[in-house]
Amino acid sequence: FLSNTMNSISGLGILLDATDNEYMINCCGVVSSWEFYVKTNSGTVKLQIWRPEGGGQFKLVGENSYTVAAGDENDEFLYTVPTNERISVRDGDYIGFFTAGQPMISHKSEGDGTDGYTYSTTIGAQTVGSTYNWGSQTADTRKEYAINVRLVPGNSPTLSNLDSTVTFPDSTAANTLMFTVTWSDNDPLDILTVVMTTTTSSFSFDTTNGEVKNTGALPYGNNPLSFRVTDDCGRTDTGTLTISVTNSVPVITNLPATADITEDHANEQLLYTLTVTDDSLGDSVTCSIASSNPTTTNFFSRIVSGSTNYGIYIKAQPSLSYDTARQYILTISCTDTKDTAQGTFTVYVTRNNPPAFTNLQATKTIAASTTTTGSVIYTVTSTDSDSNQLYYNMTCAPAACPFTIHNSGEILSTSDLSQHTVPGYDLYVYVTDGKTLVGPRTLTVIISGINTAPVITNLPLAAPLTVPENSALSMSVFQVSVSDVNSADTHTYAASYTPSLGSTLFSLNTATGLISTSSTQNINFESVSTTATTYVITITATDGQATATDTLSIVITDQNEAPVFGKASYAISGNEGAAGSTVGNPSFDVTDPDTGESLFYSIDCPTFVINSNTGVITFSHDYDLDKAGTASSVTCTVTVTDGDLSDTASLVVTINDVNDNTPAFGSSTYTFYAQPSTGVGTVLGSIAATDGDVGSFGTVSYTLDQTSLGYEYFGVQSNGDFYVKNGLTSFSSGTTVTLTATAQDSGGLKDTAPVTIVIPESTTAAPTTTTDRHVTFLEDSRNIAWVTVASVLFAGLVIFWGYLFVRFGSFPCKNGSYKPNAQKVSRWPPFDHKENVRIVKSMDMI
Ligand SMILES: *[C@@H]1O[C@H](CO)[C@@H](O)[C@H](O)[C@H]1NC(C)=O
């Protein structure tokens, strides 16, 4: 053995052969003994098994300790490890050792470079299970250590308390501990794995503590469960646990029991509800009638509605007879399919005689007027040989009849029938003894003297009635008609109006039912339409007891109403004028009740035009009061119309005269001849002017401007005669004076003309004014003076007269008084009308 050399380092730890694996373990087993040589030093050596974990880390999986007493050194030791301290080893483990004091195990320096080891002087004592990083320690190959380990295969694990059987009832709660599986291994460091190899959802197995539990209701019968334990060398043991589950039996807790049933029982009925218990967690129990003595099909069992319990029933229309079978003993079986519980239920049949009516069917007549609430109208009687108390009820037709029946058999009125309208009822009466219902039997009730309600026969109408506005007062609108089975009844009427304004527009004769328009209130559409134009009249007709009600709708319709002048006569005034000029606006105050109407005016005087919309009056043609026969005031009739209806008023139109003509002298200049001796008052000639106006505007007055003469020598008479007003003696012969004459009308319009008065040389034969002839000629007021300027104007006159002759023809000289002796003619007069023309023959004039 390698015993020649010793280290001298305390606390040395050695891991053998981590470099060339010569000392690596290559089997699965346990350490049975260590063999080593101890040289020089006594003490305790730690004999170790290390397991690599990668990355240079090693785990100390086991350690045996051996102490060499002083004096025992320098010897070879074989340490047989006690069974309970054997270290389990695995393929790939390494051995090592550690001495806390001086080294004990010797070595030899072989120097072949192959026998490797790793050493550490700082590792210190390690506890089993800890890891140490040998990879970071120093490796060497110079020494071989005197140590050896011997391995044996090791022990198998065992399941210690199988195979066994445990028994539980099926009422056992879930998660109850059934059994605890135990296992062991003589190799204390083996790693054991235990599994339940049976696949089941009913049981759970805890691999840590070995507990077997039920996950829910236990399955009835034997449940074998297999287990296996395995150590980390793959050695195994198996065993079986049998869990035997027993059934909890059902128990009927409320049998025996009994029921009574009458022999004439008719309906299906629950007789008894069974109470059954079963402690099993997963069982459901069904019950049935297993047998009957005597045998019958009258009874059956099923789950009671709304419950989980079974009931015992009697079927509908059973065949029961007291005389044939007075009792039935029913055997009731309830089973959970594994065990069955039984009990007996006894049905006793009792005898019953049904009640019988003794006074129905029947007919009863009662008086409507005397039947009041609570009046007994009939008493039903019946008999029953084996029942003392009978019970009545009834239905009636028509339904909701005013009667009720008491258990005494009395039928009472539930209301006062004096107002009743249904003439009769059939009452369907039942009687029962509490077991058997008998009936129905009919009581026919006739109600006499019943009042029938009146009926309005002509309402409602298919369409509303139409009443035009302005209908006559008290006009009949509608006659309500009523029929009544009770022909002797008299009826009165009442009405209500919607809207209530209708009560002022219409009235109802309460005795006759005639609806009329109001006797005092005219119906004005425009006024009522702000409230409503449709009125609903609710009419009730009563015979004193009963009423009939119906409605009548009336629609008030609009009527066209005439426009009306506010006054009978209107007056306007305006000035004369041309066609189209405005005379004035009479401002007619016309009213029309109808809203939105368009009104038009017309006038019957052709002289005027009226604006159809505004009423303004204009002239239809030129209107000139200066024309003879033209009226200054005209009375016309004006008509206003809405297109359909109209009204008239008189219109007095006053036309004012207008000063529309200017006076005009007959000549642009005048020349008169006088002598200084011409006498005062002598008329030298006429300067008369004309004015187209009639009346005051046509009245011309004359003035002369003689301021240049220094004295008023001349004057003009109102007829235009120019005369010597004061003596001319101060003028010498050969003098010519000129002054201005003005003709002015009353409206201030005027014309002027120069007047020249020539006083010739006394030696010269001057043309003289022949006053006589002149005056004679002017006696006809409508004639104009003619003045001749003899030589100067003669040729012109001839041409002019010639023209006149061609134009107007030849006129006879009226009375031969015309003289061809020429007067001064300055211009042709402004005649407008032929009748004013006075012409002489040109030849006469010549
Ligand atoms: C009358 O009474 C019987 C027994 O109580 C009942 O079955 C029936 O429905 C009742 N009929 C009327 C109309 O109330």
Side-chain angles (χ1 to χ4, degrees), residues 195-204 223-227:
V195 294
M196 181 168 71
T197 55
T198 301
T199 301
T200 175
S201 60
S202 301
F203 299 95
S204 66
N223 298 276
L225 304 176
S226 296
F227 298 87

Side-chain angles (χ1 to χ4, degrees), residues 127-354:
T127 55
V128 172
S130 64
T131 56
Y132 185 72
N133 192 337
W134 279 110
S136 65
Q137 301 304 311
T138 307
D140 205 343
T141 58
R142 292 169 301 173
K143 299 168 184 173
E144 278 194 79
Y145 282 87
I147 187 166
N148 186 27
V149 68
R150 294 183 182 176
L151 306 175
V152 293
N155 298 291
S156 292
T158 55
L159 291 165
S160 353
N161 59 352
L162 297 179
D163 302 296
S164 8
T165 297
V166 292
T167 301
F168 286 89
D170 63 0
S171 58
T172 304
N175 225 25
T176 299
L177 178 62
M178 309 266 106
F179 192 77
T180 302
V181 176
T182 58
W183 56 87
S184 64
D185 192 316
N186 284 335
D187 303 329
L189 295 184
D190 274 6
I191 298 166
L192 303 182
T193 305
V194 187
V195 294
M196 181 168 71
T197 55
T198 301
T199 301
T200 175
S201 60
S202 301
F203 299 95
S204 66
F205 175 62
D206 187 328
T207 59
T208 306
N209 60 20
E211 288 184 348
V212 179
K213 292 180 177 177
N214 57 330
T215 57
L218 283 172
Y220 173 70
N222 285 331
N223 298 276
L225 304 176
S226 296
F227 298 87
R228 183 178 66 224
V229 60
T230 309
D231 71 10
D232 51 353
C233 284
R235 288 180 288 265
T236 63
D237 188 22
T238 60
T240 302
L241 169 66
T242 299
I243 297 176
S244 176
V245 178
T246 58
N247 184 44
S248 301
V249 299
V251 178
I252 305 173
T253 61
N254 62 348
L255 283 182
T258 64
D260 294 333
I261 196 83
T262 58
E263 59 180 347
D264 57 355
H265 187 90
N267 304 321
E268 178 183 301
Q269 185 181 319
L270 174 66
L271 298 178
Y272 196 64
T273 301
L274 298 171
T275 306
V276 182
T277 62
D278 186 319
D279 291 337
S280 302
L281 295 184
D283 285 352
S284 64
V285 178
T286 56
C287 296
S288 61
I289 297 172
S291 64
S292 168
N293 181 24
T295 303
T296 180
T297 60
N298 285 336
F299 308 99
F300 66 94
S301 178
R302 69 156 183 255
I303 291 175
V304 177
S305 173
S307 136
T308 57
N309 293 328
Y310 277 80
I312 301 169
Y313 290 83
I314 184 169
K315 72 176 185 182
Q317 307 302 328
S319 58
L320 297 175
S321 166
Y322 178 81
D323 295 328
T324 306
R326 299 184 184 180
Q327 69 174 33
Y328 293 90
I329 299 170
L330 308 180
T331 300
I332 310 300
S333 281
C334 294
T335 179
D336 61 3
T337 71
K338 289 154 286 200
D339 292 291
T340 299
Q342 289 196 328
T344 58
F345 184 71
T346 307
V347 180
Y348 295 102
V349 178
T350 59
R351 183 187 292 284
N352 182 53
N353 291 324

Side-chain angles (χ1 to χ4, degrees), residues 671-678 684 709 713-714 724 726-738 756-764 766-767:
T671 302
F672 298 117
Y673 297 89
Q675 300 295 329
S677 59
T678 302
L684 299 180
L709 305 182
Y713 293 104
F714 307 100
V724 177
N726 288 297
L728 306 177
T729 51
S730 57
F731 292 97
S732 53
S733 295
T735 301
T736 299
V737 298
T738 300
T756 302
I757 300 98
V758 179
I759 303 172
E761 295 288 346
S762 55
T763 55
T764 306

Side-chain angles (χ1 to χ4, degrees), residues 393-395 430 432 437:
N393 62 12
M394 68 181 194
T395 61
Y430 298 82
T432 178
L437 182 68

